[in-house]
Amino acid sequence: MTEKIFGSNVDWLSQHSVFPEYFRQQFYETGTVFPEFAANIGGGQNIYNFAYYGLYNPLFLPAYFLPFVKMSDYIMLVSILCLVADVVLFCKWTRNHGVSKGNSILTSILFLLAGPMIFHSYTHIMFVNYMPFLILSLMGTDRYFQKKKSDLLTGSVFLMIMTSFYFSIGGILVLFIYGVFQYLDIQEKQRKKVTAKSFVFAGILFCIPILTAVMMSGFFLIPTAMALLKGEHRAAPSVSLEELFLPASDYMQVLYSPYGIGLTTFALTVLISGFTYKKWREKYLHIACFLVIMLPVFQYVLNGGLYIRGKVLIPVLPLLCYLIAMYLEKQRKQEIPFWQGILPFMVTLIMIWGGKTPKKITQADVFLLIDAGLMLFCGLLFYSQYFGKKHKEKILIIVPIGLLLLYGIVMQKESSQMVEKDFYLQLTDKDYSHITEEILEKEEGFYRMEQAGTRKTDAANLNRIWSAEQYSSSVYSSTYSEVYQSFRKDIFQVEQPYRNIFMQARAQNPVFQRLMGVKYILSEEDIPGYQEIEENVYENPEVYPIAYATNQYLSEQDYSTLEFPYNQTAFLDFAIVKDGSSCAGWREKLQAKIQETDLGFKQKEIDIKQAVSKSLPIPQAKEGDILLFQFDVENHNVSQDISVDVEGIRNKLTKREHIYYNENETFTYAAMLEEGQTQIQINFGKGTYEIKNLKSYIWRKDKEDSKNQTLCQSDFVLDKQATKGNKIAGTIERKEAGTLITSIPFDENFTVSIDGKKAKTEKVNTAFLGVKVEKGTHDIEIIYHSPGLKTGEIISAVGLLFWVWGRKLKVGIFLSSGWKSVKIRCRKGV
C-alpha cells in the first residue's frame, strides 16, 4: 500500500500549503507584516486576492520563526493539533454545562468524526481550522453573560476572523443564535422578565465585543473586501424565491457530507425533539438551528449570493453537537417520556423517506433510510426494559459514532485524495529552490521562470514559488485580476487542461510564453522552443522581458478588427496602445507571417467510448514555426467532460453541472513545431461531441523574430536590491520617446514614478501596465498599494483602542426592573 501524507491532491497541494509559504517568503524578503503585492504569482497581483489562503492566519504565523521547516509539513502538524484542540475544547465546553463525563467524551468523538472535521483538515483546511477559536468564542459567550467579561469573546472572534474570514461569518451567526439562548437562560435563572426593550438593549451590548473584534480585523477585512469586489468572479446562477425558502430535501448536503455539517440522522432527531421541550429558551435554540439548516436562503446568503452550498453550515456543527450532548443528559435523567422521545425518531424517518430521489432510490437514500430506521430501533430499545437505567442513553450516541466511522473510512478510501508521500517529496524537493536561485542570480534581465511536468505536477505547482526573484504567469485562486483573466481566457484563449475554471495553468502557447517573458522552465522533459542550459533547466533567450520600451504601436481600434490568429501574433510585432498611431503597413506585416493550412477535415462528429489518436498532415515545418489551431466544440452529452489533445496540449470542457464549469467551448492551440515536421498528433477524448469552425494556420519566423529589436527597443534594467514586496525599480535608456510596456496585469492602484515624478499609467496590450517615457536615461519606480489597506489599519487602531478602553471600563447591566437602571463601574484609577 502506497504511503500517504496528511494533505490532499485537490486544493491543499496547490493552494492551502503553497500560499502560506509564499506569504512567509514575502515576510523574509521585505520584513513587513503588511504585504500589498504578489509580484511572483499570476503575472503580479494584489496580494489580497489570495488573502483567503491564510495571509494573517494566527496558526501559520509561528512558522515564520521556523525557516528550516517546510510550511507544508508545519501545516500538517498544525492541522492535527487543531483536531486535538477541537476535541479538548468541546469536551471542556460541554462539561461546563453540566454534561456528564461519559456523554461529553462520546459527543466530542461524534464531533471529531463529523464529515468535515478530519476530511477538511487535510483537504480544504480553511473549512475547519477556525474551529478552536469558534468553540472558544462560544465559551466566551458563556463568560460574557455569566461574568460580564468580554475579553475571551472578543479575542476568540478576532482570531476566528484572521483564520478564516469566509467561515467566520457563519461563526458569528452561530454566536448570535447561542447568545440569545444564553441571555434567555440567564434571565430565567434570575427570574427576570424579558421585555422587547431589555432584549434589544442586551443584544446591542452583546454586539459590542463582537463588533470590536471585527474592527480590530479591519487591516485584513477592508483590503480583502476591496479585492473581492474588484476581482473576477463567476456569474452567480439565478435562484428563485422558491429555491431559497423551500426546505431542502437533499439531506446528504447536511448529513454525512464533508461539504456540509456531516452528522447522522440523529442530529435531525435531536433538533425535532427540541420542538417538544417545555422551556422556550430550549425550543428557540432548536428551532433556530433547524431553520438555518433547512432553509436554503441561509446557505445562499452565507455564500455571498454565489450559490446554495452546504459548506457554509460547517460552523453550526459544534452547536448541534452541544444540543446532542444536552439531549443525552435529558435522556440520562429520564426527562423525556416515551412518546415525546420516540415521535422525533419517527418524524425523522418520514422526512428522510420524503426527501429521497423522486425517480429512483440512490445509494445515499438507502444509507440514510437505514440510518433513520436503525436509530428508531435504538430509540425503542432505549425505552424498553432490556437495559438498566444506568448509562443506557449511550446506545443513542454509540450507533451514530459507528455510522460516522464507517462512512468516514469508506469515503476517505473512495475519494483517494491524500497525496502519495513520494509525490509530495518530489514536489517539495529543495533542489528546485537551489536551482532556481542559482539561475536567477546569474540573470541580469527581468524575466519569468516556470516549472513544467505532468498535468498532475503542473496542477500542484500552479502557485509554487521557489525564490523571491522567481516570477510566474500561472495562478489558481478563487479571486484574481479581472483584466488578466480576461486576457488569458478571451483574447489568447489559453489552453484549459483542467476542469476548474479558476485553475489558470502554465501556458504551453509559445506566443503567450514570449509575450509574458517566460525565459526559463524547470522540467525533466524537453520543452519545444527551449534549449537545455543545465540539467532540467531550459531557456528561451528570444522571449520578451517583463518590461521594455518601444514606439512600435498598433492602436486598440485597429487591434479590435483582428481575429484569430492575428489577434495573438500581433503581440509579437506591436505594442497595443489606446492613444497612438499604428505603424505603417501593420496589416501586411502580420499577414506575411501567417500561412493558412488545411488539416484534412472541416467538421467532425465524435461518438467514442475510448480515446482515439489521429495523425493529420501539415506543410513541412521550418525552425521556429508555430501551429495555430482553433475549433468550437459542442458537447452532446453535457453530463460528461470532453477533452482533445493537440501535440500533447490539452483542452477540456467540463460537464455542464460541474460546480466550477470551465466554459471552455472554443479549443485554441499554439504548438511549436520541429524543423522538418510534416504531421501533428491529435487525441480525441471519449464522449459525444461535435467539432466545427476549424481554423488552422502556421506562423513563420523571420529574421527579426530571433529577438524582435524593432519591438523591444530598450530593456528595463531591474534593480534587484530595490525591487521587493510592492516595489519594482530599475532604469531604462531611450534614444527617442516611447512607452514602457510591461506584462504586469494593469491595476489602477499602481503608482509609477519616473525620475522621482509621478507619471500617468495606462493600459497597454489590452490588459497590462504601461507608461509613457521620454528620450534619455530614466530611473523608474513602480509601486503598488492595496486599496483599503490604510483605511483598514485606521479602523483596526480604533478597534484596538476601543478594546483597551473596554477592558478598563467595565459596564455592568442589571435587570432589576425591566432594564430600567444601568450601572457603570470603573476600575480604580479610571
Side-chain angles (χ1 to χ4, degrees), residues 494-560:
V494 174
E495 69 272 6
Q496 180 63 40
Y498 301 109
R499 307 182 76 214
N500 191 332
I501 191 174
F502 296 137
M503 297 177 73
Q504 296 300 309
R506 173 191 71 84
Q508 294 178 255
N509 184 324
V511 182
F512 187 85
Q513 289 173 333
R514 182 176 294 194
L515 172 67
M516 294 300 294
V518 183
K519 185 174 183 179
Y520 301 102
I521 296 179
L522 304 177
S523 174
E524 295 180 0
E525 303 289 338
D526 290 345
I527 303 295
Y530 286 73
Q531 299 295 321
E532 189 171 18
I533 57 172
E534 289 188 23
E535 186 178 5
N536 299 332
V537 180
Y538 291 80
E539 179 189 26
N540 181 358
E542 298 181 359
V543 304
Y544 303 160
I546 295 174
Y548 61 89
T550 189
N551 60 6
Q552 185 159 317
Y553 302 140
L554 182 62
S555 71
E556 281 190 2
Q557 184 176 357
D558 287 335
Y559 176 79
S560 66

Side-chain angles (χ1 to χ4, degrees), residues 625-694:
D625 283 1
I626 299 174
L627 171 71
L628 299 157
F629 187 35
Q630 185 182 82
F631 53 82
D632 296 331
V633 289
E634 184 177 338
N635 192 357
H636 295 312
N637 181 7
V638 295
S639 63
Q640 181 178 322
D641 295 355
I642 57 173
S643 64
V644 178
D645 295 10
V646 175
E647 289 293 284
I649 302 170
R650 170 165 293 184
N651 263 299
K652 176 174 285 191
L653 174 62
T654 314
K655 63 182 181 180
R656 178 70 67 175
E657 65 266 24
H658 184 51
I659 188 68
Y660 299 120
Y661 177 64
N662 69 6
E663 304 172 3
N664 188 29
E665 296 178 346
T666 298
F667 287 6
T668 302
Y669 304 85
M672 183 68 70
L673 300 174
E674 295 181 4
E675 186 174 5
Q677 186 173 345
T678 58
Q679 289 184 330
I680 61 168
Q681 195 76 17
I682 298 185
N683 187 68
F684 298 99
K686 65 179 180 179
T688 304
Y689 52 97
E690 185 178 357
I691 292 176
K692 52 188 178 182
N693 302 326
L694 281 88

Side-chain angles (χ1 to χ4, degrees), residues 89-312:
L89 289 171
F90 182 83
C91 190
K92 172 68 174 172
W93 180 43
T94 52
R95 290 287 286 157
N96 289 345
H97 284 270
V99 179
S100 67
K101 186 176 180 180
N103 286 337
S104 181
I105 291 173
L106 288 173
T107 312
S108 299
I109 294 172
L110 185 79
F111 174 55
L112 173 66
L113 294 176
M117 292 301 291
I118 296 175
F119 180 82
H120 286 304
S121 292
Y122 71 86
T123 305
H124 298 93
I125 55 180
M126 287 83 66
F127 284 25
V128 293
N129 66 357
Y130 58 88
M131 201 64 76
F133 304 121
L134 174 56
I135 299 173
L136 282 171
S137 298
L138 291 165
M139 296 170 74
T141 301
D142 294 337
R143 181 179 172 86
Y144 171 83
F145 283 103
Q146 294 166 10
K147 299 183 179 181
K148 303 294 185 290
K149 294 181 179 179
S150 62
D151 284 5
L152 180 59
L153 176 60
T154 299
S156 300
V157 171
F158 171 76
L159 292 173
M160 179 172 63
I161 292 170
M162 303 306 291
T163 305
S164 182
F165 70 86
Y166 188 90
F167 286 91
S168 69
I169 301 171
I172 291 173
L173 174 62
V174 167
L175 292 180
F176 282 133
I177 292 172
Y178 184 68
V180 172
F181 168 74
Q182 274 297 315
Y183 166 72
L184 295 174
D185 186 47
I186 292 292
Q187 299 311 107
E188 182 178 312
K189 288 178 180 177
Q190 296 179 358
R191 297 185 178 181
K192 294 178 180 178
K193 185 179 178 181
V194 178
T195 64
K197 183 179 178 181
S198 65
F199 180 79
V200 171
F201 192 41
I204 292 171
L205 290 173
F206 179 62
C207 287
I208 290 175
I210 296 176
L211 181 61
T212 301
V214 173
M215 291 178 66
M216 288 166 58
S217 309
F219 71 94
F220 175 52
L221 293 179
I222 301 300
T224 299
M226 296 290 286
L228 290 171
L229 291 171
K230 181 70 176 175
E232 175 77 1
H233 302 279
R234 258 185 337 138
S238 59
V239 180
S240 66
L241 286 176
E242 182 182 6
E243 289 177 286
L244 289 176
F245 292 99
L246 193 66
S249 59
D250 182 8
Y251 297 113
M252 283 301 284
Q253 288 288 321
V254 177
L255 306 176
Y256 288 101
S257 171
Y259 292 92
I261 295 174
L263 291 172
T264 70
T265 63
F266 184 49
L268 275 180
T269 302
V270 170
L271 285 178
I272 296 166
S273 296
F275 285 60
T276 68
Y277 293 168
K278 293 180 180 179
K279 295 180 180 179
W280 270 104
R281 61 183 174 82
E282 294 180 329
K283 281 181 185 284
Y284 149 76
L285 190 54
H286 287 75
I287 292 171
C289 289
F290 187 84
L291 291 176
V292 168
I293 291 169
M294 299 306 297
L295 293 183
V297 64
F298 288 98
Q299 297 180 39
Y300 185 73
V301 171
L302 291 174
N303 276 305
L306 294 176
Y307 38 57
I308 297 173
R309 291 190 69 190
K311 64 181 182 180
V312 287

